[in-house]
Amino acid sequence: MKLIKRTLSVAICAAMLFGFAACGEKENGTETAQPSAGETTSANQEVSEVLEKSPEQITAEDIYMSNTVDYLLSVYDSIRITCEYADSSIVKYMFLKDGKPFYIEDNRPSESESEIWCWYNGMNFSQNGDRVTVTFSAEELPDVNGEFPYEYMISDNVTGETVEYVGESDGLYEFRVTGADEDIHYVENHFFDKETLAVRKSVCRYDDEELNEIYFDYDTSVEYASLIDGWDGELKKVTVVSEIAGNSGSNVTTKEYSIPTDWEMVPYEYEEVAVYLDKEMTVPYEYPGDGVDCTIYVTNSMG
């Protein structure tokens, strides 16, 4: 999947994830743009015009426009994407809470394993025992548009694709894309709701081998949605002071975050750093407790 540069299923996920990453607002140091009511109305009107076309007239650009996350979440309450592979699967959920996008990814490497990763309000987080932990680099917050999960997202020239209309069955239009890229030959069949043009299924074959199937469902219940219930109550403040030494010397930054009272900020997840609870860096870090405002001191100057 990662090797294919111009396939329609990748482009659909690209459109959806890019739209989703772009429908937030500035929170906790991360800034994205939320579509205005006028933009949503314009998108609805444009999609309505697409739906007036015969299926033979529908283009890849029409499909792209009808399947961005910001558009789909103006029509549906939630999106669920299920990616089925030969020996694993991934289930993804997307919806809005308080007008802000919430993304959940449930990686299932086997039937008995499940690894949950989430994104909300500019934060990466996951369940860790009896707490939710926010995982940030000690140096800086992740850039949503750079660090958002784009493993299926290739953005080059979807509108240049040649889309072949195959036919209609069970209320779905079927389109096929064939071609070759990086010495890989592929055939992809994509199925879209006849009434809305929302994607419902993609079957992707590379070098005559069925590689994966992707299913898209809407207005479904969302597993793990309760993870962000804490944002409905009072929040606590966590200040992170980072002193990071590099080739040009030390750089000290101070950032403040507001998080639910029973969440834990873990600013050392991706860095080889030491973490303390005092400015002198003599008291090693341990979770201060629920509802406790605190300052965390981080340094990579150890020993």
Side-chain angles (χ1 to χ4, degrees):
M1 185 84 170
K2 296 180 184 179
L3 295 177
I4 305 302
K5 298 299 185 183
R6 294 184 176 85
T7 62
L8 187 57
S9 66
V10 173
I12 290 168
C13 286
M16 295 181 72
L17 290 181
F18 180 79
F20 190 65
C23 63
E25 61 186 36
K26 186 171 183 179
E27 290 290 344
N28 291 303
T30 302
E31 183 173 4
T32 54
Q34 186 172 5
S36 66
E39 290 173 333
T40 300
T41 301
S42 176
N44 290 342
Q45 181 177 351
E46 290 176 353
V47 172
S48 296
E49 293 172 356
V50 169
L51 295 175
E52 293 177 0
K53 296 182 177 182
S54 68
E56 293 84 359
Q57 296 174 311
I58 293 174
T59 67
E61 185 175 8
D62 294 332
I63 291 170
Y64 181 100
M65 178 177 61
S66 305
N67 287 278
T68 60
V69 167
D70 54 353
Y71 171 71
L72 289 173
L73 288 182
S74 74
V75 178
Y76 304 104
D77 290 334
S78 65
I79 303 167
R80 182 177 67 196
I81 304 174
T82 305
C83 305
E84 297 286 353
Y85 306 103
D87 55 358
S88 64
S89 64
I90 300 174
V91 181
K92 306 175 180 185
Y93 298 93
M94 306 175 190
F95 69 97
L96 298 178
K97 178 178 174 61
D98 299 329
K100 302 167 188 174
F102 181 27
Y103 174 93
I104 304 172
E105 183 170 304
D106 182 0
N107 291 282
R108 300 175 179 178
S110 69
E111 292 185 2
S112 60
E113 296 178 278
S114 180
E115 301 169 355
I116 310 301
W117 179 88
C118 307
W119 182 92
Y120 178 69
N121 218 9
M123 295 184 174
N124 298 306
F125 61 92
S126 60
Q127 186 77 43
N128 185 9
D130 58 354
R131 286 194 299 276
V132 173
T133 59
V134 181
T135 53
F136 283 134
S137 160
E139 293 191 54
E140 59 183 333
L141 280 168
D143 174 5
V144 173
N145 289 315
E147 298 297 333
F148 206 68
Y150 279 10
E151 67 268 35
Y152 304 113
M153 180 176 174
I154 306 297
S155 60
D156 44 337
N157 202 20
V158 58
T159 58
E161 285 288 4
T162 300
V163 178
E164 175 190 0
Y165 173 63
V166 176
E168 174 191 341
S169 63
D170 299 326
L172 300 175
Y173 289 145
E174 180 179 356
F175 292 84
R176 179 181 297 128
V177 177
T178 60
D181 195 8
E182 297 185 3
D183 299 322
I184 297 177
H185 297 272
Y186 58 85
V187 177
E188 300 184 344
N189 293 75
H190 308 281
F191 301 82
F192 301 87
D193 189 287
K194 177 181 175 181
E195 302 298 325
T196 65
L197 208 60
V199 62
R200 300 307 300 254
K201 179 182 177 180
S202 294
V203 180
C204 312
R205 297 177 178 87
Y206 306 110
D207 288 332
D208 298 323
E209 177 182 355
E210 186 170 305
L211 180 65
N212 57 62
E213 295 185 357
I214 305 174
Y215 299 89
F216 300 81
D217 299 289
Y218 307 95
D219 288 338
T220 64
S221 60
V222 178
E223 291 186 79
Y224 315 109
S226 61
L227 284 176
I228 55 174
D229 286 349
W231 290 95
D232 295 329
E234 293 185 8
L235 304 179
K236 66 182 178 183
K237 184 173 72 173
V238 178
T239 303
V240 179
V241 181
S242 300
E243 182 176 350
I244 304 300
N247 294 333
S248 58
S250 294
N251 181 37
V252 179
T253 61
T254 300
K255 296 183 180 180
E256 295 183 352
Y257 308 96
S258 294
I259 60 176
T261 57
D262 57 349
W263 284 27
E264 180 180 14
M265 177 72 69
V266 185
Y268 49 89
E269 181 75 6
Y270 302 113
E271 300 289 337
E272 300 214 353
V273 297
V275 185
Y276 301 92
L277 289 175
D278 65 324
K279 187 175 182 179
E280 292 72 27
M281 298 187 180
T282 60
V283 180
Y285 172 83
E286 61 181 36
Y287 180 56
D290 293 350
V292 178
D293 295 341
C294 65
T295 300
I296 302 171
Y297 298 86
V298 182
T299 181
N300 66 346
S301 300
M302 296 171 285

